[in-house]
Amino acid sequence: MLPFTQEQFLAVFVSYNRAIWPVQFGMYQLGGLAVALLFWKPKGADRMIAGILAAMWLWTGIAYHALFFSAINKAAYLFAALFVIQGGYLIYAGVYRGRIQFGVRSGSASWVGIALIAYAAIVYPIISIARGHPYPAMPVFGVTPCPVTIFTFGLLLLAAPPLSRWLLVIPFVWSLIGGSAAILLNVPQDWLLLASGFIAVPLIVFGNRRAA
């Protein structure tokens, strides 16, 4: 049993989206840049992609979870901490250490990664609108946890193995938390979130083993 109703849940998105505009537009631009950098590989492209992912996790943890979602669910402070940790680790592993190399490659992992990226940025909002929850009463790409997690799995599937398993822990945990809540709240665009962890993590771990 959740400590809030669907109406309260959607009301948080309304107030949040109105308060942070036009950050949503900027995050879409950053997401587009991350995708472009997968194909156009200037010097430092991998660090920039990791930095974009980190910015999404840090923003979502602090702005969404800690400042807005906590109004209806005190567990949001724990969620905020997890998102900040994930953002910090992306900065450490991907930006500072340069240990994540992104790129489109052959194989099922890349195709699944591209599909998840497209779903998070394009299909996700279309489903929300079709279900009668247009902006601002909807989770928006880049600034809310479920699209950020799906987008992250998509990009990590496009990372060259071996990839640190620590990068997968918090996204997988959130896929369970956010995905199960989505079912209880009847948010169908988040149903894929629940499956995304079970799809992405085995593919990445299998890729790591093949690269070992």
Side-chain angles (χ1 to χ4, degrees), residues 6 38 47 68 90 93 104 108 130 144-145 191:
Q6 184 191 54
L38 293 170
R47 283 182 162 87
F68 282 84
L90 282 164
V104 178
S108 58
T144 53
W191 293 350

Side-chain angles (χ1 to χ4, degrees), residues 16-167:
Y16 174 64
N17 282 321
R18 287 175 176 169
I20 69 169
W21 175 260
V23 174
Q24 302 94 323
F25 181 69
M27 285 298 190
Y28 255 105
Q29 289 184 311
L30 287 176
L33 176 60
V35 172
L37 289 169
L38 293 170
F39 300 92
W40 170 56
K41 297 285 289 184
K43 184 178 180 180
D46 295 321
R47 283 182 162 87
M48 285 189 279
I49 295 172
I52 289 169
L53 279 180
M56 291 180 176
W57 281 85
L58 291 170
W59 175 276
T60 302
I62 297 168
Y64 174 75
H65 278 308
L67 298 182
F68 282 84
F69 190 42
S70 59
I72 63 170
N73 186 5
K74 297 308 177 185
Y77 292 116
L78 172 61
F79 303 154
L82 292 175
F83 271 64
V84 169
I85 290 169
Q86 180 71 12
Y89 192 61
L90 282 164
I91 290 174
Y92 172 76
V95 180
Y96 176 66
R97 302 291 292 181
R99 291 178 176 172
I100 312 174
Q101 286 77 48
F102 298 93
V104 178
R105 300 169 180 84
S106 60
S108 58
S110 285
W111 285 110
V112 173
I114 291 170
L116 290 179
I117 289 169
Y119 184 89
I122 300 170
V123 179
Y124 189 102
I126 291 174
I127 295 175
S128 183
I129 294 169
R131 290 286 296 179
H133 299 135
Y135 182 88
M138 62 185 291
V140 177
F141 172 81
V143 295
T144 53
C146 298
V148 166
T149 302
I150 296 169
F151 185 66
T152 299
F153 275 135
L155 283 176
L156 293 181
L157 281 163
L158 294 170
L163 184 71
S164 171
R165 295 185 182 183
W166 291 110
L167 285 167

Side-chain angles (χ1 to χ4, degrees), residues 116 149-150 153 171-172 175 191-202:
L116 290 179
T149 302
I150 296 169
F153 275 135
F172 182 75
S175 74
W191 293 350
L192 181 64
L193 174 66
L194 187 59
S196 65
F198 291 102
I199 296 170
V201 171

